[in-house]
Amino acid sequence: MKTVGEVLKDSRVEHAYSIHDIEQGTKIRAKFVEAIEADDFSKLPSLSYAKGFVKNYSDFLGLDSDKILAFFRRQTNETPKSSLLPKGMEEPLNRSLLQLTPGRFIALIIIGLVSLFLLYLGFQYRALQQPPTLIIDFSN
């Protein structure tokens, strides 16, 4: 059974493309193209990048990217994050206590402005309730 790298390399050779041509056409670095053709996905940034690279590479060669990605999924072992924890455990871990949403941001701005206004009113009230200061000048 052929691997993803072998299928892509055979198709590239069949179309008489060089690795430089693939790099120019897909904007995938040559070292990553070579890693894909060698089925060495550990040299790629992540499996998500590898999926995107394989899809773009197969589309550029005119191959059915869905079939190539199916071969890719069979060939790699990607563990989904949800399978690492028991069901129901990942949701509380993903929830942040301090999420700043647009609604909360607007509420904080309004609360801040109201607080400043009330503080200003408090100082003004206090200034009105105090007797005026008396200055006696004995210089005459």
Side-chain angles (χ1 to χ4, degrees):
M1 180 181 207
K2 285 191 168 189
T3 63
V4 172
E6 292 171 352
V7 170
L8 293 173
K9 185 175 183 177
D10 291 345
S11 180
R12 177 181 61 84
V13 171
E14 182 182 309
H15 286 93
Y17 289 132
S18 68
I19 291 186
H20 181 71
D21 296 332
I22 300 298
E23 181 179 22
Q24 293 298 315
T26 62
K27 305 294 186 214
I28 301 171
R29 291 186 182 174
K31 67 179 183 178
F32 294 149
V33 172
E34 292 170 355
I36 290 169
E37 289 183 353
D39 293 315
D40 187 8
F41 301 113
S42 64
K43 292 183 180 177
L44 299 174
S46 69
L47 280 180
S48 299
Y49 277 95
K51 283 180 189 178
F53 289 163
V54 167
K55 182 182 182 332
N56 290 342
Y57 191 0
S58 61
D59 286 340
F60 179 78
L61 295 173
L63 300 172
D64 184 12
S65 59
D66 292 333
K67 288 183 182 178
I68 300 296
L69 285 175
F71 283 126
F72 175 78
R73 281 190 295 274
R74 282 188 217 122
Q75 191 173 333
T76 58
N77 294 339
E78 183 177 14
T79 306
K81 291 180 182 177
S82 61
S83 69
L84 297 176
L85 295 171
K87 287 186 177 182
M89 289 292 293
E90 73 268 2
E91 187 59 36
L93 295 176
N94 293 337
R95 190 177 317 131
S96 173
L97 295 177
L98 297 174
Q99 285 184 333
L100 187 61
T101 62
R104 289 183 183 173
F105 181 74
I106 291 172
L108 285 174
I109 296 281
I110 290 172
I111 289 171
L113 290 174
V114 167
S115 299
L116 284 174
F117 181 70
L118 291 176
L119 190 65
Y120 171 77
L121 283 178
F123 281 119
Q124 291 298 319
Y125 180 75
R126 192 173 127 212
L128 287 174
Q129 293 299 319
Q130 291 180 348
T133 57
L134 180 64
I135 300 175
I136 302 174
D137 187 13
F138 292 109
S139 61
N140 285 341

